[in-house]
Every structure is written in C-alpha cells, then in structure tokens.
Amino acid sequence: MPKQIFLQISSSEIVNITQIKEFSLSQTGVYQVNLLNGRKTYTSRRYAQAIRKEFLK
C-alpha cells in the first residue's frame, strides 16, 4: 500500500491514485490523466516534475 493515496496534479485538483488508469504526455509537456471512470483531466506544469519523480518511476 502506498504511503500516500492522493496525488495533487494541479493547484486545484487532487486525485486518488488508485483511480488513475494511465498518464499520457502531450506535446506541450503536460500530462493527461485518464481515470478508471472514463474522465480525463490534466496536470499543471508546476506538478508535472513531481509526478514524474514520484509516480512514473
């Protein structure tokens, strides 16, 4: 079990990591976050480096 269940992907959005289906990288360097329920959201550039470091090892 991960020590943190939630991941902040932008200044206004936090997602449950158990509900993340996949990440895809856009040409602008922003990650699209695809969730298990079919919804899509995007990270901000500010949080992209932290996501790469912690989640996409």
Side-chain angles (χ1 to χ4, degrees):
M1 187 72 145
K3 48 185 176 171
Q4 292 186 347
I5 295 177
F6 296 97
L7 176 67
Q8 186 161 8
I9 60 170
S10 69
S11 61
S12 62
E13 195 164 14
I14 298 172
V15 296
N16 184 327
I17 63 170
T18 63
Q19 297 301 307
I20 296 173
K21 180 179 179 182
E22 64 184 357
F23 287 98
S24 55
L25 186 60
S26 72
Q27 291 179 348
T28 59
V30 176
Y31 286 104
Q32 177 178 317
V33 183
N34 300 316
L35 302 174
L36 292 174
N37 65 4
R39 297 182 91 177
K40 297 178 183 177
T41 187
Y42 295 89
T43 65
S44 67
R45 287 182 181 208
R46 179 179 180 186
Y47 292 95
Q49 182 177 7
I51 291 168
R52 279 193 301 271
K53 191 177 201 180
E54 294 298 322
F55 197 78
L56 300 174
K57 293 180 184 176

